[in-house]
Amino acid sequence: MVLSPLFAWAAGQVGYTEPLEHAASATGATAHAVSTLPALLPDYGLAGVDPYVGTLVSGLVGAALVLVIGWLAGRPLTAQRDPR
């Protein structure tokens, strides 16, 4: 996660773009795209923040969300049972 800004920078240096975006554009799927929910961190960034810092922050937020959800889902499995 700490290296994510480096990978974001390297992707910009080589001109990397998402293959699914190319496929959607080639098939005309982007014309029919409908956004039903706003993204928490669209394009892995934060408005008004350096894109590399935004990539790092979105990675940290995403990892924290996954850990919290996993911990909450696992709590019932590890709860102490009454031995009566």
Side-chain angles (χ1 to χ4, degrees):
M1 210 175 321
V2 173
L3 294 176
S4 65
L6 175 66
F7 286 105
W9 173 82
Q13 294 299 308
V14 298
Y16 175 80
T17 56
E18 290 291 329
L20 287 178
E21 290 179 9
H22 289 293
S25 179
T27 60
T30 54
H32 303 289
V34 176
S35 179
T36 56
L37 296 174
L40 178 62
L41 297 167
D43 293 328
Y44 307 106
L46 300 170
V49 177
D50 181 71
Y52 305 121
V53 174
T55 301
L56 177 62
V57 170
S58 65
L60 293 171
V61 168
L65 284 172
V66 168
L67 288 172
V68 167
I69 291 169
W71 178 73
L72 290 172
R75 283 186 67 197
L77 301 174
T78 60
Q80 295 289 332
R81 302 207 191 292
D82 191 6
R84 290 186 206 178

